[in-house]
Amino acid sequence: MDPAPTPTPSTSPAAGPSPVPARGVDASLYLHPQTLARLKSFELRAKMIVEGVMSGRHRSPYHGFSVEFAQHRPYSPGDDLRHLDWKVFGRTDKLHLKQYQQETNLDLVCLVDASGSMNFGTRAFKEASGVGVEKSVDGRSEWTKFDHATALAAAISYITLQQNDRVGLGVFGAELMAIINRSSQRGTWRKIVETLAMHPVDQQTDLSRVVDQVLGQLNHRCLIVLISDLLTDPDVIRAAFARIRHRGHDLIVFQMVDQAERTLALDDLVIFDGLEGEESVRADPADIRDAYTAAFDAHIARIRKEATAFGFDHSVVSTHDWLGPPLAAFIARRQALMSRSRIG
Amino acid sequence: MNVLHPTLLAAGLAAIGVPILIHLLLRRRYRHVQWAAMRFVQVAQKQQRRRRRLEQILLLIARCLLLALVAFAVARPFFGDDTGSGEKTLVLVLDDGITASAVGDDGRSELAGHLEAALEQIGKLDFQAGDRVAVFGAASLAPGIVPVPTSDFSAARAAIEAITPTDSVPNFPAALRLARDAAAGTGVRSEIVVVSGWRAGSLAPTGDRASVGAGSGEAGGDADGTGRAGLPSPANAGVDQGPDTPRGANAGLGSGSDSGLAGDMSADLVLMDPATDTRANLRITRVEVPRLTLLGDDDASARRALITIDRVGTSAESGVGSAGASLAGEVTVSLVSSTGETVSLGRTVGFAFAEGERETRVAVDIPPEPTTRGLSPRAYALVAALSAPAGTDSIGSDSTVRTALRFATGINAGVVRARGVSTDDAAIRPSAWLNAALRPTESTPIRLRELAPSGIDEDALIGLDLLAIARPDLLTARSWTSLGEFSRSGGCVVLFAPDIEGVHPWVDDALASLPELEGLSREARSLSSSRSVTPGLGGAALPVLNTEMERLASSVRVHRLLGMNADPGSVVLSTDAGEPLLTRAGPQTWVFTTALSPDWSNLPARPLFVPLMQEIARQCPEQIVARTLTAGLDARSPAGLASTDGVSMSRGLIASVRSSRDDSGQSTGLEATNADVRGGDTATLTRERVEAALNEGGTLEIRWSNADGDGNDAAPIAGTRLGLMIFAAALLVALLESLIALRSVRPRAAARLGAAS
């Protein structure tokens, strides 16, 4: 396995398809040393063995280079005779097949939500960035869901690239606003970081349209990582999940949530102004807190249910948590699943 | 409604603006927040908005109401006019009736407490401010104790201290009319304070008082001729009528039909609180004697008096009190002359109340007349006085009853002889029937004398107790004049319809001399069929015959009679069709509307006729004035005058035996005045009962005060109670506000705690 590409902090403007002027790129904002220290010990494994371009299009996913012996199993009629272990037959006069374990290439596509609702955050930027920066490049003092989403996307991309797997990126709002084709080449990481540096826009999410646009560009089965707050109609989300499953892709859903957003931690009487152009609402947070949190939790539960129903993983990521713990727990869970599915 | 502290009220009402201001200030605290999860905010807001708005409105109302109520309570509201400083007229109406003489365990009469309360009220007046006071007695009435409002408080105090209780029932309607008039004359803010213990006897009906003063001029005899002592029945007292509102003229001050008091009442009406302590009382409610005229030969049964005693003093509401235990005592009867001298030694009999018994009766023999002076009739008072253990009889004056009796050795009766010869030899002359009926018997020593129709003059009538006239058509105009004088001087006249056809012109002459015959028809009427006879409502006038009357009258038939419009209560006998046959037209005038002829009736030949005539004769001893009166009820002025508005210029408010006097001051006989025993009911009443009794129409605004007085005047006391009620209401509102606020704030506080943690 090739050594992982070293993240290169950059302050140069992003070059790429971003519709919004990029801000200064600083990978350390996304790959905080604590985060990387946690992730170092894990390997990202796909839940499903994705057919990689390096392994060819054969019937056995184990056919190709760098196969590792896994175990023997008794022969059954119909098995390929090429895998018979003749040495064992010579010693024991019994037919056994040799089974192998193969690391296949992984195509990863990160889809990062850049809609208006992602531009919400209550955590102090200085605390969340981990490098002591008081404000963001554009002057914000809050760590938004989009900040957290880009950090997560960068981390996943980085780890994937370290395994020489191909990584692609899509940034979307009402439609795909930027896309980076899958690649494992050097420089991909930089492109990704620069693309992620774009501002969220004042749009509503049209997940159905975005999924259609992404799926139209995927020729192989991929692992799609959807990073979004998913504050949209659950039925639309369900339809998107269904299309992804129908095309044979795997999906990991990271639902971004701000802690204050989830608990409605406001004391004063407020006028809620929507980030995606919704009508303002005047309310006493104390009055509506119970109903609000109930609706919020019900929405998350619904998303989780829909994802689980299609065999996808779903994880709620709070902007007030370090990326490490939820990501590490997620990868560990994935690795356990992979260990089971790796046995042919 | 007014308040004592309008400034506090204004400040409190102004404070209502505080919650409104807070509400407005809270509205300004909204701040804009950019929010991502608007879909959940909208869902939650939709669910909570309606409930929250309702809670906010209720909270605002509750807080405003709370402040308003507290402001009202602190301002000490009261009903009525302003009690602030300034010229004021106080009119005191004191209960000086018999009930106020009830003595408590401490030996102090209730009237003493009333006087103290009255003096205390005067003590609150301010001479410098021009305050004035007038005082009226609810029983003594006109002209009033201090009838004209005066600023001479010393004189008013002296007059009040001199008040003694009467033996009559207070007449609060009349007293309040006097007080109202006195207050209205001053033209300044005025207050009528009624000081009474408001026991049941204080509110006994007094409806017939005003009319009695003018109508009691008849000479001799008891008031109703029933042979009883003429005492008003305590059963008539409204408080004995059960839980219903007391009835009678003492009730209904507010009713327009009675006095119109409410409509004209401009002064505040303040009543002292009802007494709450029970005071046991014994009273003689009735003395029944067979005949009020006793003849020398009367047997023992005619000389036996039946005395009814009851005991009162329990709470009219609870029914508990002193009437439960057994009790024994004695009744002593004696004869008292018109000078107050006891002329016959008393006779004593015991009486006893069983446990729970409220009424008992004893019989006692009337003592014999001490001296007999020939045929000269004498009048005495039969005085029955009870004595009982201490503490059981709080009112003394209703424990003695005086009954006017007349003693005579015989009756002098005259019969007007018919002139000429009867056209029917077989027929008995009418005068012969009378001669037969009035023939002396052992039990009725009648001395009979015949008079010629033309010989009836003043000289001929001297010495007669009774004149029976079977042929009034034969009397001359001069005879009728003399007959009128005879009647007015106490002589008894018994008239029969004459047996003549057609018009009866003599009726006009009779009416000129005997006005009580008004209503007698001038034309005889033949009945289509003979009518039977039944006792009328006036049968009680002949008590001895009363029980036998119906049986004796059943055989009488009437074929013809003179019509007569008479008061049903005066009709002793009537036909089965209700036509009067025998009427007691006046105390001394008896009228038969049928003639002593078989063509008219078979009455003279029936067994009823003789005892009927003899009993009538016994009601008519010559010119003996011996009356039994009731204090207050039968009072009249010395000159027979009655004031306007039904308020009698009263005398005879104190129970006594004395000589009655005519207008010239000459003694005319004996007058026995008794306490009005209805006032002896010492049962306590509640405020509600008193208000119901006094304010039947519900239009009078009554305030209550405390006779024991804590130094506050009536208005603050009323205001304190009203204020307490408002405070209680404020507490309820505060509780309600707390519940709403708790319901509203609790989830918010919990949410904040959760957010903080």
Side-chain angles (χ1 to χ4, degrees), chain B residues 545-606:
Chain B
L545 279 182
N546 212 12
T547 56
E548 297 291 320
M549 187 74 87
E550 185 169 4
R551 185 180 61 80
L552 293 172
S554 61
S555 62
V556 178
R557 294 290 181 275
V558 179
H559 315 296
R560 186 185 299 174
L561 50 70
L562 282 177
M564 186 172 187
N565 291 323
D567 175 14
S570 65
V571 176
V572 180
L573 290 173
S574 65
T575 67
D576 52 5
E579 297 142 324
L581 179 65
L582 170 60
T583 302
R584 190 180 189 182
Q588 300 293 82
T589 306
W590 302 75
V591 179
F592 286 87
T593 57
T594 188
L596 295 175
S597 164
D599 295 336
W600 289 62
S601 167
N602 64 354
L603 171 65
R606 306 314 299 170

Side-chain angles (χ1 to χ4, degrees), chain B residues 276-288:
Chain B
T276 54
D277 59 323
T278 55
R279 297 190 177 185
N281 186 37
L282 289 172
R283 54 183 183 174
I284 297 176
T285 57
R286 186 178 300 171
V287 175
E288 294 172 273

Side-chain angles (χ1 to χ4, degrees), chain A residues 271 273 282 284 286-287 289, chain B residues 31-33 35 52 748 751:
Chain A
I271 298 173
D273 297 324
R282 182 192 301 263
D284 183 351
D287 289 341
R289 181 164 294 118
Chain B
R31 63 181 178 88
H32 285 269
V33 168
W35 201 255
R52 184 63 184 166
R748 188 181 308 180

Side-chain angles (χ1 to χ4, degrees), chain A residues 50-203:
Chain A
V50 181
E51 182 181 359
V53 289
M54 294 180 67
S55 300
R57 302 181 181 83
H58 306 292
R59 55 181 176 174
S60 171
Y62 307 103
H63 194 82
F65 304 108
S66 61
V67 292
E68 293 181 5
F69 171 75
Q71 64 182 359
H72 288 96
R73 73 169 173 84
Y75 170 79
S76 294
D79 284 342
D80 193 341
L81 294 177
R82 289 179 298 175
H83 297 292
L84 279 174
D85 191 335
W86 298 109
K87 293 180 180 177
V88 173
F89 178 72
R91 288 198 300 270
T92 63
D93 200 22
K94 291 181 180 177
L95 291 175
H96 279 83
L97 294 183
K98 293 173 73 176
Q99 287 189 315
Y100 302 92
Q101 177 176 311
Q102 178 182 8
E103 290 183 357
T104 60
N105 287 356
L106 175 66
D107 275 6
L108 177 71
V109 175
C110 281
L111 292 178
V112 179
D113 185 0
S115 65
S117 62
M118 291 293 285
N119 197 23
F120 177 83
T122 58
R123 189 181 181 191
F125 191 91
K126 176 182 179 182
E127 178 198 3
S129 67
V131 292
V133 179
E134 292 284 344
K135 291 185 178 179
S136 65
V137 176
D138 56 346
R140 288 180 293 107
S141 58
E142 294 88 19
W143 180 260
T144 66
K145 287 188 284 187
F146 185 74
D147 291 331
H148 216 62
T150 53
L152 181 59
I156 290 174
S157 300
Y158 175 70
I159 295 171
T160 305
L161 287 171
Q162 277 188 320
Q163 299 177 29
N164 284 328
D165 288 333
R166 298 195 303 174
V167 176
L169 175 68
V171 179
F172 66 93
E175 59 184 0
L176 268 177
M177 297 183 294
I179 188 166
I180 298 175
N181 292 327
R182 290 161 289 163
S183 171
S184 60
Q185 296 176 354
R186 290 178 180 274
T188 303
W189 164 255
R190 181 177 182 79
K191 289 181 182 176
I192 289 173
V193 170
E194 289 178 351
T195 303
L196 288 174
M198 68 176 9
H199 282 294
V201 294
D202 189 15
Q203 291 181 355

Side-chain angles (χ1 to χ4, degrees), chain B residues 288-436:
Chain B
E288 294 172 273
V289 293
R291 299 184 181 95
L292 294 178
T293 300
L294 299 179
L295 301 180
D297 295 332
D298 277 341
D299 56 16
S301 62
R303 291 177 169 273
R304 181 158 296 171
L306 195 60
I307 299 172
T308 303
I309 306 165
D310 77 351
R311 54 178 178 175
V312 292
T314 58
S315 166
E317 279 69 34
S318 64
V320 298
S322 59
S326 59
L327 173 67
E330 291 179 337
V331 174
T332 301
V333 296
S334 57
L335 291 178
V336 175
S337 71
S338 60
T339 60
E341 176 190 4
T342 301
V343 295
S344 176
L345 293 179
R347 295 185 175 179
T348 300
V349 292
F351 68 86
F353 286 96
E355 184 173 345
E357 193 176 34
R358 300 184 71 97
E359 186 176 273
T360 188
R361 305 176 90 182
V362 294
V364 61
D365 290 340
I366 300 171
E369 186 184 16
T371 56
T372 301
R373 299 175 183 177
L375 293 178
S376 175
R378 300 292 301 271
Y380 297 97
L382 175 68
V383 178
L386 66 83
S387 58
T392 59
D393 188 12
S394 59
I395 299 177
S397 55
D398 62 357
S399 302
T400 300
V401 169
R402 304 153 189 84
T403 307
L405 294 178
R406 290 159 291 199
F407 288 84
T409 55
I411 298 170
N412 294 321
V415 174
V416 178
R417 184 177 62 239
R419 184 178 52 189
V421 179
S422 170
T423 54
D424 184 359
D425 292 339
I428 301 175
R429 288 180 177 175
S431 56
W433 289 112
L434 290 176
N435 281 332

